[in-house]
């Protein structure tokens, strides 16, 4: 069966992750980020939020992914009270494919899916030294909401960054 492409940039295609793609996602995560998760965690997120777990591929090879969750809690924007929030849990593009717009497309496509699920904002945590990722989020209108000291196991701080969705 043809897999449904949801977006394209150049020869790259973005489509929903499927169960058989999860191992490739785990491999990209292992190569690109110090934050790893149990295999179970990926399959759980995929089962619960299949429309916001996307992969990017070229010539049948997966070279990037984004996985997100929908949560309900206090707004990270200057809004009062509770909000339905999209949470970008992890996004990565294999090093040799960066700078071609794939990260941007993964973010935008998952944000559209989170908005369709009723999220009014989106947030994420990012290492304070991760300037490429911070530049990507700023380009997409994310603002720093707070800073979490010693958020990562190695002691580094995180920025919580958030943006409004669907307005
Ligand atoms: N230096 C500075 N900024 C950069 C660079 C760079 N080398 N590369 C990309 N950017 C910024 C720019 O703002 C760029 O926008 P522009 O091209 O319009 O100027 C923007 O990122 C988007 O570039 P893309 O090509 O769309 O993004 P890319 O496909 O390169 O993916 C990503 C960006 C996902 C951050 C990638 O660098 C990556 O995988 N890094 C390692 C993993 C990682 O750090 N993931 C994020 C962790 S935080 C989290 O997961 C919530
Ligand atoms: Zn997070």
């Amino acid at each position: 069966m043809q897999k449904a492409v949801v977006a394209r940039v150049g020869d790259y295609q973005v489509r929903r992750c499927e169960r058989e793609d999860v191992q490739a996602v785990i491999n990209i995560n292992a190569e690109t980020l110090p934050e790893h998760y149990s295999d179970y965690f990926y399959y759980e997120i995929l089962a619960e939020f299949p429309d916001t777990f996307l992969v990017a591929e070229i010539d049948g090879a997966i070279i990037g992914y984004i996985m997100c969750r929908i949560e309900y809690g206090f707004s990270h924007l200057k809004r009062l009270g509770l909000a339905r929030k999209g949470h970008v849990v992890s996004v990565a593009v294999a090093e040799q494919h960066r700078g071609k717009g794939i990260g941007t497309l993964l973010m935008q496509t998952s944000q559209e899916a989170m908005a369709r699920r009723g999220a009014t904002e989106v947030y994420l945590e990012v290492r304070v030294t991760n300037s490429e990722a911070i530049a990507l989020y700023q380009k997409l209108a994310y603002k720093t909401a707070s800073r979490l000291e010693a958020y990562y196991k190695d002691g580094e701080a995180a920025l919580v960054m958030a943006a409004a969705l669907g307005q």
Side-chain angles (χ1 to χ4, degrees), residues 9-24:
V9 55
D11 293 331
Y12 296 92
Q13 305 184 332
V14 167
R15 60 170 176 79
R16 281 192 190 190
C17 183
E18 295 180 19
R19 281 184 67 85
E20 69 248 37
D21 303 319
V22 169
Q23 192 54 53

Side-chain angles (χ1 to χ4, degrees), residues 66-84:
I66 188 164
M67 76 175 163
C68 308
R69 232 168 24 203
I70 304 289
E71 299 168 2
Y72 191 66
F74 285 106
S75 171
H76 291 289
L77 304 175
K78 291 192 173 62
R79 291 171 170 168
L80 287 177
L82 298 166
R84 191 177 295 278

Side-chain angles (χ1 to χ4, degrees), residues 87-88 125 151:
H87 179 176
V88 179
E125 301 92 14
Y151 179 76

